[in-house]
Amino acid sequence: MAALGWMVLALVFLDEVLAAVAAGVWGSHAGGWPLAVLAPVVVVAVWWAFASPRARWGGPVVRRVVKVLVFGLASVGLWVAGHHGWALALLVFSVVVNGLAQLPSIRGLVAEQERPPAS
């Protein structure tokens, strides 16, 4: 079961990378290469500050709200850029993978890694 849990967590990471890529696609569509570079940087910075497991300003509520905003806006960005199928695929993938990551057995894997080693 642990292998399945780590696979889900790897897919969550892939989802986060895909959100940054989607922001770049939208940026390229909306403003050319400068926005294509800036948009993913903003997504990564927001994720680091508010949604990552060790986010400085993240909390249970803030983390969830930011995740919904990031994945939702990434999907909207793909839609606006004309990639309707990819937008829906990203949205469905995000909901499924992040939903699976909330299962107690998978959340337990993360908690085990965050515990300090026994001395």
Side-chain angles (χ1 to χ4, degrees), residues 19-43:
V21 170
V25 170
W26 169 82
S28 176
H29 172 77
W33 73 266
L35 197 53
V37 172
L38 183 61
V41 170
V42 169
V43 167

Side-chain angles (χ1 to χ4, degrees), residues 69-109:
L69 287 173
V70 167
F71 294 126
L73 290 174
S75 297
V76 168
L78 285 175
W79 187 274
V80 168
H83 302 286
H84 301 147
W86 288 112
L88 292 173
L90 178 63
L91 187 61
V92 169
F93 179 70
S94 297
V95 169
V96 169
V97 167
N98 284 284
L100 288 172
Q102 297 306 309
L103 292 172
S105 59
I106 296 173
R107 291 179 76 187
L109 290 173

Side-chain angles (χ1 to χ4, degrees), residues 43-52 54-59 62-63 66:
V43 167
V44 170
V46 166
W47 194 270
W48 171 79
F50 300 104
S52 70
R54 295 195 174 120
R56 183 172 192 161
W57 298 286
V62 172
R63 185 172 287 121
V66 169

